[in-house]
Amino acid sequence: MSTAHPDVVVIGGGIHGAGVAQAAAAAGYSVRVLEKTGIASATSCRSSKLIHGGLRYLESGQFGLVRESLRERDRLLRIAPSLVRLVPFQIPVYRATNRWRSTIRAGLSLYALLGNLRPNTRFETLTRRQWGTLDGLATDGLKAVFRYYDGQTDDAALTQAVMRSAQTLGAELVCPAEFLHATRTNAGYAVRYRTAQGEQECECHVLVNAAGPWVNTVLAGIEPHPPLPAIELVQGTHIVLDGTLHQGVYYTEAEDRRAVFVMPWRSMTLVGTTETRFTGDPAQLRPLPEETDYLLRTFRRHFPQRDIHVRDQFAGLRVLPQGAGSAFHRPRETVYLTDAESRPRLVNIYGGKLTGYRAAAAKALALLRPALPSRRAQADTADLRIGD
Ligand SMILES: Cc1cc2nc3c(=O)[nH]c(=O)nc-3n(C[C@H](O)[C@H](O)[C@H](O)COP(=O)(O)OP(=O)(O)OC[C@H]3O[C@@H](n4cnc5c(N)ncnc54)[C@H](O)[C@@H]3O)c2cc1C
């Protein structure tokens, strides 16, 4: 249903925009989502497709993020069983690598602890006899293989399902609709956007900028706006290979010691990802030949007997706070930038994870609630089933 002046306007139909639309509609607000290209047409279809706590974030001490992500992972396993499933993850430890058995054991123990020692946080060490079942994993110099469990999804399907849930709750999706400009008014924001029918205008009480890698471009079109935060866009490329894997995901180590996942994906194998600084127009993002080579070398080293035929490749952009050193050690927490400290009417969402979209949406909405009229809630996204 189209409301002339919705309570909430959301810019962006990626997982964050869909999540905020669902949370706001569930809380009883009228919502309009503006998406310029298509639902899940940008980062939210180019991720590693993992619903996970993020074992590797333990290395950079991001315990709060891991705990929350594990909680959200378990919630999604419960409310979206057709879209998120638990799969085994193997971590091989070779003589000639950086990994230590004791460090991995300690990391997995901490991971289980942060997951409240639930049964699905258990891990094990595989026996030598089991090594032979591991999809052709190289056993030369292999010292140990750990197995634990995490979630896998179809990121675009998940985003579309969350958006469908928002629409079922009454949210209105306008797509294609490109946000152009917004101006602060006494009652909220006056918003201008372009559809196939030409330029449109509406007013809203609150505005959410969930434009992913375009977050600062959108913010620059909102008047008045705070100084644009210094961010870095970091490109992550995946390649898709012919042939599948039968034992789940492999958490391999590249030549520069970074973790690279090798994953079963739609009867094929997905290998990723890289971390390459990106400047320029996000719409022009392409995998680089050196990234593809790096991923192929990592795959070949771990699965030397497998034939390699690259079916596809794609790249997505992480939005990270600007900083020195490797992107790997930069915080991965979602950042919410508001237009005021008290009763904000605008929230800009920076960064974040597919896994944490529901919690991120709840936080964004909680920030905006004081400026919203009172409405009667119709559902709680913590229990609302998504997907089939
Ligand atoms: C390589 C890589 C791997 C990742 N792997 C994982 C993973 O395995 N697990 C995990 O939990 N997270 C992962 N992430 C993180 C996760 O994918 C992202 O945090 C998430 O997809 C970002 O979603 P978003 O909605 O913020 O942005 P996007 O999905 O990029 O959506 C932004 C939307 O805004 C729209 N838009 C932009 N400007 C306008 C405008 N002017 N008007 C209207 N619409 C506009 C765009 O068209 C786009 O659809 C990964 C990220 C990357 C880059």
Side-chain angles (χ1 to χ4, degrees), residues 198-248:
E199 281 199 19
Q200 317 285 332
E201 269 187 31
C202 70
E203 286 177 18
C204 60
H205 292 292
V206 300
L207 186 58
V208 178
N209 172 3
W214 293 270
V215 61
N216 271 354
T217 314
V218 164
L219 180 55
I222 301 176
E223 292 301 336
H225 63 76
L228 302 182
I231 56 169
E232 201 170 288
L233 298 180
V234 177
Q235 161 166 358
T237 286
H238 288 86
I239 53 175
V240 182
L241 306 177
D242 269 345
T244 195
L245 301 164
H246 300 284
Q247 297 294 336

Side-chain angles (χ1 to χ4, degrees), residues 11-18 34-52 57 155 159 177-180 210-215 217-218 234-238 261 273-274 314-319 349 351-356:
I11 304 160
I15 192 67
H16 285 122
L34 308 177
E35 166 51 50
K36 66 174 176 176
T37 309
I39 297 304
S41 57
T43 326
S44 301
C45 70
R46 295 173 192 152
S47 79
S48 299
K49 300 153 203 326
L50 300 177
I51 296 297
H52 62 158
Y57 301 132
D155 47 5
T159 305
E178 184 182 10
F179 166 83
L180 299 173
W214 293 270
V215 61
T217 314
V218 164
V234 177
Q235 161 166 358
T237 286
H238 288 86
F261 291 110
T273 173
T274 54
F314 57 87
L317 287 172
R318 302 176 182 90
V319 179
I349 300 177
K353 307 285 296 167
L354 195 69
T355 308

Side-chain angles (χ1 to χ4, degrees), residues 108-189:
L108 286 170
S109 305
L110 182 56
Y111 201 60
L113 207 61
L114 291 169
N116 287 335
L117 300 175
R118 280 183 287 271
N120 64 21
T121 64
R122 285 203 195 112
F123 66 91
E124 60 186 316
T125 315
L126 300 189
T127 60
R128 275 175 182 271
R129 186 175 300 167
Q130 286 171 298
W131 292 0
T133 66
L134 296 179
D135 297 294
L137 180 76
T139 49
D140 254 15
L142 190 60
K143 287 198 302 189
V145 181
F146 290 91
R147 176 179 282 167
Y148 71 108
Y149 292 83
D150 241 331
Q152 203 183 14
T153 190
D154 176 329
D155 47 5
L158 178 67
T159 305
Q160 280 150 5
V162 176
M163 186 59 82
R164 269 199 308 279
S165 165
Q167 289 173 279
T168 305
L169 293 162
E172 179 197 1
L173 168 64
V174 192
C175 178
E178 184 182 10
F179 166 83
L180 299 173
H181 192 264
T183 317
R184 184 82 162 83
T185 61
N186 282 341
Y189 279 91

Side-chain angles (χ1 to χ4, degrees), residues 28-362:
Y29 301 109
S30 55
V31 182
R32 180 170 303 163
V33 179
L34 308 177
E35 166 51 50
K36 66 174 176 176
T37 309
I39 297 304
S41 57
T43 326
S44 301
C45 70
R46 295 173 192 152
S47 79
S48 299
K49 300 153 203 326
L50 300 177
I51 296 297
H52 62 158
L55 185 61
R56 69 201 189 101
Y57 301 132
L58 293 179
E59 280 180 56
S60 43
Q62 300 185 61
F63 303 135
L65 174 68
V66 174
R67 190 199 303 274
E68 180 179 274
S69 300
L70 283 170
R71 204 167 37 228
E72 287 302 308
R73 179 195 80 174
D74 283 358
R75 201 184 304 270
L76 285 171
L77 284 166
R78 187 162 46 76
I79 64 175
S82 65
L83 290 159
V84 182
R85 64 193 187 101
L86 213 57
V87 291
F89 277 57
Q90 276 76 220
I91 310 182
V93 183
Y94 291 93
R95 212 168 291 132
T97 64
N98 203 25
R99 289 176 175 167
W100 293 87
R101 261 184 286 203
S102 52
T103 316
I104 291 181
R105 195 181 295 282
L108 286 170
S109 305
L110 182 56
Y111 201 60
L113 207 61
L114 291 169
N116 287 335
L117 300 175
R118 280 183 287 271
N120 64 21
T121 64
R122 285 203 195 112
F123 66 91
E124 60 186 316
T125 315
L126 300 189
T127 60
R128 275 175 182 271
R129 186 175 300 167
Q130 286 171 298
W131 292 0
T133 66
L134 296 179
D135 297 294
L137 180 76
T139 49
D140 254 15
L142 190 60
K143 287 198 302 189
V145 181
F146 290 91
R147 176 179 282 167
Y148 71 108
Y149 292 83
D150 241 331
Q152 203 183 14
T153 190
D154 176 329
D155 47 5
L158 178 67
T159 305
Q160 280 150 5
V162 176
M163 186 59 82
R164 269 199 308 279
S165 165
Q167 289 173 279
T168 305
L169 293 162
E172 179 197 1
L173 168 64
V174 192
C175 178
E178 184 182 10
F179 166 83
L180 299 173
H181 192 264
T183 317
R184 184 82 162 83
T185 61
N186 282 341
Y189 279 91
V191 181
R192 256 192 315 119
Y193 57 97
R194 192 187 301 122
T195 66
Q197 283 71 45
E199 281 199 19
Q200 317 285 332
E201 269 187 31
C202 70
E203 286 177 18
C204 60
H205 292 292
V206 300
L207 186 58
V208 178
N209 172 3
W214 293 270
V215 61
N216 271 354
T217 314
V218 164
L219 180 55
I222 301 176
E223 292 301 336
H225 63 76
L228 302 182
I231 56 169
E232 201 170 288
L233 298 180
V234 177
Q235 161 166 358
T237 286
H238 288 86
I239 53 175
V240 182
L241 306 177
D242 269 345
T244 195
L245 301 164
H246 300 284
Q247 297 294 336
V249 176
Y250 294 83
Y251 194 121
T252 69
E253 194 182 42
E255 62 221 17
D256 59 356
R257 312 293 197 210
R258 286 185 60 260
V260 168
F261 291 110
V262 176
M263 302 165 273
W265 170 242
R266 293 183 177 160
S267 309
M268 292 173 287
T269 299
L270 181 64
V271 184
T273 173
T274 54
E275 283 178 358
T276 313
R277 278 181 198 189
F278 177 85
T279 49
D281 175 5
Q284 301 305 321
L285 179 69
R286 301 280 179 276
L288 301 171
E290 55 270 32
E291 292 182 301
T292 312
D293 289 348
Y294 167 91
L295 295 173
L296 282 173
R297 281 198 302 278
T298 307
F299 180 79
R300 214 172 267 129
R301 227 187 27 253
H302 287 84
F303 297 93
Q305 274 142 37
R306 290 183 74 114
D307 291 337
I308 296 184
H309 180 249
V310 180
R311 264 296 185 91
D312 193 9
Q313 45 186 302
F314 57 87
L317 287 172
R318 302 176 182 90
V319 179
L320 300 181
Q322 205 161 53
S326 84
F328 177 77
H329 292 100
R330 231 67 67 64
R332 297 297 169 102
E333 306 271 4
T334 316
V335 175
Y336 309 86
L337 177 71
T338 59
D339 60 352
E341 277 193 11
S342 92
R343 297 188 82 232
R345 287 182 182 273
L346 166 69
V347 173
N348 304 277
I349 300 177
Y350 287 82
K353 307 285 296 167
L354 195 69
T355 308
Y357 82 86
R358 204 204 55 83

